Amino acid sequence: MNQIKRRESLEVKVGDVTIGGGAPVVVQSMTNTDTADIDDTVKQVAELADAGSELVRITVNNKEAAAAVPYIREKLDKINVDVPLVGDFHYNGHVLLTQFPECAESLSKFRINPGNTGTRGRDKNFCTIVEQAVKYDKPVRIGVNWGSLDQQLLAEKMDANNELPEPKSSKEVMMDTILDSAMRSSALAQEVGLSEDKIIISCKMSGVQDLVEIYTRMATLCNHPLHLGLTEAGMGMKGIVASSAALSILLQQGIGDTIRVSLTPQPGGDRAEEVRVCQQVLQSLGIRNFIPQVTACPGCGRTKSTYFQELADEIQGYIREMMPIWRNIYPGVEDMHVAVMGCVVNGPGESKHADIGISLPGTFEEPKAPVYVDGEHRVTLSGDHIGREFRKMMDDYIVNRFGRNGNGG
Ligand code: SF4
């Protein structure tokens, strides 16, 4: 694994999950179900956890949602899904957490947006939420978001800026206010009695360069663990690329203790996509492995038909499908490297570097597919069942290497 020097931060426990203090970067996600719909929410939390989400946030936006939370926790426990739940509170968190103590108890962390705790009772409401965190021994994330920035604080900052002989731009004042809002809230929470090792901070923005700037500055201002994420990243490729770019720059600098990718799914799309993107960012940077890596060449004019793409897709899909099972019985399997290559130009070379690799026949090549295991040519497959035979070889390799009686090499 890559030896990136991580920013030093306090260790915060969220249920059984450790964030910060040098712990592996934690992947988290958020449901988009109506929390009051217990069965729907349990199903999606389980799917996210199954995909590898180590924390799952649920919105707690009204009394029905708050009342549902303990039942969601109970049902998850019954099906052995022990992922910690984080409650997302805006506007009425002080009311809900006070009126629904079982909700407070069932959650493993509260997320508070200091810009959304009320206009007149801002600090009072914020402190009420923190009091509940202290009472139930829960950590909080102080989650500042530029789209819902504390307007009172921003106005004060703007007024003060206007008095300066050389005023800053409004963008600079806004950036300063985001940082101040986070630090001010952290200080206030500690005044109420929350210990500093119960606080995680995020300062989310929707522009990549803005996000990099704000976190680079925040990293020097405190030693709280930082939750990274580009807010409102968007749909599909735009959201994935923008999030990956932003997170990668920061993670490479050692900044970030937990990450979330806020993708907008297609209607009826798979919410767990955001978990897989987080994992792939960390895996591509060499920070953490989650799933065997498949190296596939892009294909070119030398590849025959779509067979090679289909096989690469089949292998990736098979690995993803099997991973929830493999993860438990074959520890270390996530470090495996598989190559699926399109022809003899780079095929054998890349396959030799992988733990197991196959080089398919390109156009005008003999219809044969040499398979390499641990760098050695093991067998040459041909005929109509190359995919199935290669999958079987991969299964055998995993059992032998990562099974209880394997060599664990
Ligand atoms: S390995 Fe062969 S098929 Fe794949 S991109 Fe390179 S030349 Fe093209």
Side-chain angles (χ1 to χ4, degrees):
M1 289 280 88
N2 196 340
Q3 289 305 312
I4 291 171
K5 190 171 171 348
R6 302 265 304 276
R7 162 186 170 268
E8 286 183 18
S9 61
L10 294 164
E11 184 180 298
V12 176
K13 284 275 184 198
V14 181
D16 288 336
V17 175
T18 305
I19 297 180
V25 179
V26 169
V27 170
Q28 57 176 291
S29 58
M30 184 171 184
T31 57
N32 62 354
T33 55
D34 174 2
T35 304
D37 187 330
I38 296 171
D39 288 341
D40 245 22
T41 305
V42 166
K43 182 170 174 285
Q44 195 175 74
V45 170
E47 285 166 1
L48 292 165
D50 201 39
S53 185
E54 293 161 305
L55 297 180
V56 177
R57 183 158 46 117
I58 57 179
T59 188
V60 187
N61 54 337
N62 54 35
K63 291 184 176 190
E64 291 74 19
V69 170
Y71 296 102
I72 292 169
R73 179 71 274 165
E74 196 180 300
K75 285 202 165 197
L76 287 167
D77 289 342
K78 273 196 185 137
I79 55 170
N80 295 320
V81 176
D82 58 1
V83 67
L85 293 176
V86 179
D88 196 47
F89 294 95
H90 299 270
Y91 315 115
N92 55 0
H94 57 293
V95 176
L96 297 177
L97 283 168
T98 316
Q99 288 185 358
F100 294 87
E102 287 180 12
C103 166
E105 254 179 298
S106 307
L107 293 168
S108 297
K109 184 174 67 159
F110 308 155
R111 182 269 170 120
I112 322 173
N113 178 338
N116 283 347
T117 55
T119 316
R120 265 171 294 168
R122 179 190 64 175
D123 289 352
K124 188 166 162 285
N125 298 343
F126 177 88
C127 291
T128 303
I129 299 176
V130 174
E131 278 162 15
Q132 300 310 304
V134 173
K135 182 172 173 187
Y136 295 103
D137 195 27
K138 309 289 180 181
V140 303
R141 167 160 67 98
I142 295 169
V144 182
N145 188 310
W146 82 312
S148 49
L149 188 53
D150 180 340
Q151 292 303 307
Q152 191 182 329
L153 192 61
L154 182 62
E156 286 165 19
K157 289 270 186 195
M158 286 289 183
D159 288 347
N161 184 58
N162 289 337
E163 301 299 317
L164 294 176
E166 289 183 37
K168 295 180 181 178
S169 69
S170 52
K171 171 95 179 275
E172 287 173 301
V173 177
M174 193 254 305
M175 299 290 259
D176 290 349
T177 309
I178 292 172
L179 297 171
D180 272 19
S181 177
M183 294 314 298
R184 178 184 183 281
S185 303
S186 164
L188 195 55
Q190 290 178 67
E191 274 173 40
V192 174
L194 195 67
S195 62
E196 58 174 357
D197 64 354
K198 294 267 185 216
I199 300 172
I200 295 167
I201 301 248
S202 68
C203 294
K204 295 196 180 182
M205 306 197 65
S206 58
V208 172
Q209 295 295 354
D210 292 338
L211 193 88
V212 171
E213 182 185 333
I214 207 85
Y215 273 95
T216 307
R217 290 175 64 187
M218 177 49 83
T220 64
L221 294 178
C222 68
N223 56 358
H224 297 303
L226 297 179
H227 164 126
L228 300 188
L230 192 71
T231 190
E232 285 99 40
M235 291 184 93
M237 189 170 73
K238 186 263 166 189
I240 293 172
V241 173
S243 292
S244 306
L247 297 185
S248 297
I249 294 169
L250 291 163
L251 289 165
Q252 184 65 22
Q253 294 174 40
I255 298 171
D257 302 284
T258 175
I259 61 172
R260 178 186 173 220
V261 165
S262 310
L263 293 182
T264 311
Q266 297 287 347
D270 184 358
R271 189 68 170 180
E273 186 71 2
E274 64 176 56
V275 177
R276 291 190 283 274
V277 174
C278 285
Q279 292 174 332
Q280 194 56 57
V281 167
L282 293 172
Q283 187 145 348
S284 299
L285 289 169
I287 292 175
R288 254 187 103 177
N289 285 345
F290 295 90
I291 191 166
Q293 193 73 21
V294 178
T295 299
C297 78
C300 67
R302 299 178 65 96
T303 36
K304 239 185 193 170
S305 71
T306 54
Y307 179 66
F308 145 74
Q309 286 126 293
E310 283 160 11
L311 183 67
D313 193 46
E314 181 187 327
I315 300 290
Q316 299 247 33
Y318 180 64
I319 289 174
R320 187 186 295 168
E321 185 190 317
M322 296 304 293
M323 204 49 206
I325 301 166
W326 288 348
R327 188 186 289 143
N328 294 324
I329 49 179
Y330 302 121
V333 68
E334 65 275 10
D335 296 329
M336 187 172 80
H337 180 185
V338 181
V340 181
M341 301 294 289
C343 83
V344 290
V345 172
N346 292 323
E350 194 72 56
S351 298
K352 279 184 203 166
H353 289 303
D355 293 310
I356 179 165
I358 187 166
S359 173
L360 293 163
T363 316
F364 306 127
E365 290 176 20
E366 254 192 283
K368 290 187 170 150
V371 176
Y372 294 80
V373 177
D374 291 331
E376 302 285 337
H377 177 223
R378 178 67 57 90
V379 70
T380 298
L381 303 176
S382 60
D384 296 334
H385 304 296
I386 290 178
R388 196 198 304 160
E389 288 169 29
F390 182 68
R391 266 186 4 207
K392 168 83 173 64
M393 287 188 74
M394 199 167 69
D395 284 341
D396 292 344
Y397 182 86
I398 291 170
V399 173
N400 289 332
R401 180 167 164 193
F402 301 103
R404 271 201 201 102
N405 299 320
N407 60 24

